[in-house]
Amino acid sequence: VNQKKGNAPVERVVHTERWNDLYKYIWAGNELMPLHPFCCLIESSVRQHGLASDLTLTPQEMVQLWSEVGKVVGARKEWQCLSPKEFFSGHTRGFITKLDAREYERKLKDVFMQFLKDNI
């Protein structure tokens, strides 16, 4: 039977990114409410071990992180340059790709971790 079918070659494809981001929610007060993943972090653990490699943020969560951390750290240039308006100002395509968002996320996390390291 296999000779008659003429087995087609099979290739393995490994995906390291989800096609769609997962939005995080919590059931509280008899309703479903959005939950930012950084709300679940324990500062001492993050200081000791860093952020989990599989902790990803949606673009909306990235902007929320930038906004809320900015309220705490103030007008620090290393954080202000990560304002979405400034960070993406050079993009001329009219849209932001998932790869663009992941780069932005990486930079946000890097600066966030540096702030923790510097006790800011």
Side-chain angles (χ1 to χ4, degrees), residues 6-110:
N7 291 335
V10 176
E11 295 183 29
R12 180 175 179 212
V13 178
V14 178
H15 294 278
T16 58
E17 263 305 311
R18 294 185 62 88
W19 180 257
N20 288 323
D21 293 315
L22 295 177
Y23 292 90
K24 297 90 178 163
Y25 292 90
I26 186 170
W27 184 257
N30 221 15
E31 65 180 305
L32 197 58
M33 301 176 70
L35 176 71
H36 195 286
F38 273 51
C39 292
C40 302
L41 298 177
I42 299 170
E43 183 182 345
S44 60
S45 178
V46 174
R47 285 181 184 275
Q48 185 175 3
H49 304 289
L51 297 169
S53 62
D54 63 349
L55 174 66
T56 59
L57 303 174
T58 65
Q60 180 180 351
E61 291 166 344
M62 293 175 211
V63 172
Q64 186 178 11
L65 177 66
W66 177 82
S67 177
E68 295 303 316
V69 170
K71 292 175 185 176
V72 175
V73 301
R76 294 184 166 275
K77 68 176 176 129
E78 61 267 46
W79 194 253
Q80 290 303 310
C81 71
L82 294 174
S83 83
K85 183 176 182 177
E86 187 170 333
F87 187 84
F88 295 111
S89 66
H91 287 68
T92 57
R93 291 186 300 262
F95 59 90
I96 296 168
T97 66
K98 186 164 185 130
L99 188 60
D100 296 333
R102 287 293 165 241
E103 175 66 16
Y104 180 60
E105 176 184 21
R106 185 186 64 75
K107 292 195 181 223
L108 281 172
K109 289 177 178 178
D110 288 348

